[in-house]
Amino acid sequence: QKEVEQDPGPLSVPEGAIVSLNCTYSNSAFQYFMWYRQYSRKGPELLMYTYSSGNKEDGRFTAQVDKSSKYISLFIRDSQPSDSATYLCAMRRGGSEKLVFGKGTKLTVNP
Amino acid sequence: KAGVTQTPRYLIKTRGQQVTLSCSPISGHRSVSWYQQTPGQGLQFLFEYFSETQRNKGNFPGRFSGRQFSNSRSEMNVSTLELGDSALYLCASSVTGVGTEAFFGQGTRLTVV
């Protein structure tokens, strides 16, 4: 079983839709949870960074972490064509600098 | 504030050669990590350096090595290149590594022919 599972998609939505992206994980030692956005031929860009369980909101983006279910989500409200990219979840154990990534979900937002 | 800078952006090498990639972290960041990204395996951790010391290493052969200099800049070396080493190599910097946000550079695209 992979440590982090993420549906690769692809996911295609109309402009203005609410997008839900998810990851599950198996290692209960993970304490830090991140979402990155990666455009084609670019490096990953940090979108959200959360510690332990709970919600975090930043503009149109909301990250949720449910440690009891080992499940994290990223919601994008009022999606825009510029949100079209691959979204990667990543997580890290406490006391470790190593990030473990999901395979990424490719999102296309159609005008 | 300048971001993470990786050079070169693109490289083409022949099997058996060696290659050195460079990473300049964000000013004030002392931790530098390296990752390999391929379509099949995704992003995989190679190693992490903090204050010129390797603190953690991923499951890669000894052909992959790195170092960090006193100014926190880091280099990664791959010797005896194989076709399977073709990938996007990404460098991430953070203030201390543990418990702090990691910011990535644009990567170096290595093609081995």
Side-chain angles (χ1 to χ4, degrees), chain A residues 83-111:
Chain A
D83 294 328
S84 298
T86 295
Y87 289 79
L88 299 151
C89 64
M91 39 202 86
R92 170 199 273 162
R93 290 184 293 110
S96 172
E97 59 290 326
K98 173 186 172 182
L99 294 175
V100 181
F101 283 85
K103 286 287 190 69
T105 300
K106 186 171 183 179
L107 170 68
T108 300
V109 181
N110 301 298

Side-chain angles (χ1 to χ4, degrees), chain A residues 35-68:
Chain A
W35 286 95
Y36 287 86
R37 178 175 62 194
Q38 186 174 25
Y39 292 112
S40 181
R41 301 195 171 278
K42 300 288 187 183
E45 172 193 7
L46 182 63
L47 286 176
M48 302 292 279
Y49 181 85
T50 55
Y51 171 71
S52 196
S53 285
N55 294 354
K56 184 176 182 179
E57 187 174 319
D58 184 1
R60 296 184 296 111
F61 299 91
T62 299
Q64 289 185 349
V65 175
D66 182 349
K67 291 190 72 178
S68 62

Side-chain angles (χ1 to χ4, degrees), chain A residues 2 32 34 36 38 41-46 49 56 88 92-103, chain B residues 9-10 33 35 37 40-43 45 48 55-56 88 90 97-106 109:
Chain A
K2 282 190 173 295
Y32 299 90
M34 288 135 275
Y36 287 86
Q38 186 174 25
R41 301 195 171 278
K42 300 288 187 183
E45 172 193 7
L46 182 63
Y49 181 85
K56 184 176 182 179
L88 299 151
R92 170 199 273 162
R93 290 184 293 110
S96 172
E97 59 290 326
K98 173 186 172 182
L99 294 175
V100 181
F101 283 85
K103 286 287 190 69
Chain B
R9 289 293 310 278
Y10 301 93
S33 296
Y35 291 82
Q37 186 176 31
Q41 299 300 318
L43 274 125
F45 175 77
E48 188 259 357
R55 288 198 298 193
N56 202 349
L88 180 66
L90 292 159
V98 177
T100 57
E101 299 157 302
F103 299 92
F104 282 84
Q106 299 291 359
R109 173 79 59 184

Side-chain angles (χ1 to χ4, degrees), chain B residues 36-97:
Chain B
Q36 181 195 66
Q37 186 176 31
T38 59
Q41 299 300 318
L43 274 125
Q44 292 186 288
F45 175 77
L46 281 156
F47 30 65
E48 188 259 357
Y49 287 86
F50 180 81
S51 293
E52 302 178 66
T53 300
Q54 186 182 90
R55 288 198 298 193
N56 202 349
K57 190 177 190 309
N59 296 324
F60 279 82
R63 299 185 297 107
F64 292 82
S65 63
R67 59 177 176 169
Q68 186 180 34
F69 302 96
S70 58
N71 61 358
S72 294
R73 190 178 70 84
S74 177
E75 287 182 348
M76 186 191 115
N77 184 274
V78 187
S79 63
T80 318
L81 284 166
E82 301 177 358
L83 294 178
D85 296 334
S86 295
L88 180 66
Y89 290 88
L90 292 159
C91 162
S93 82
S94 63
V95 175
T96 62

Side-chain angles (χ1 to χ4, degrees), chain A residues 65-83:
Chain A
V65 175
D66 182 349
K67 291 190 72 178
S68 62
S69 301
K70 297 191 180 67
Y71 187 87
I72 70 171
S73 302
L74 178 71
F75 297 95
I76 307 173
R77 290 183 299 281
D78 187 27
S79 56
Q80 302 295 309
S82 58
D83 294 328

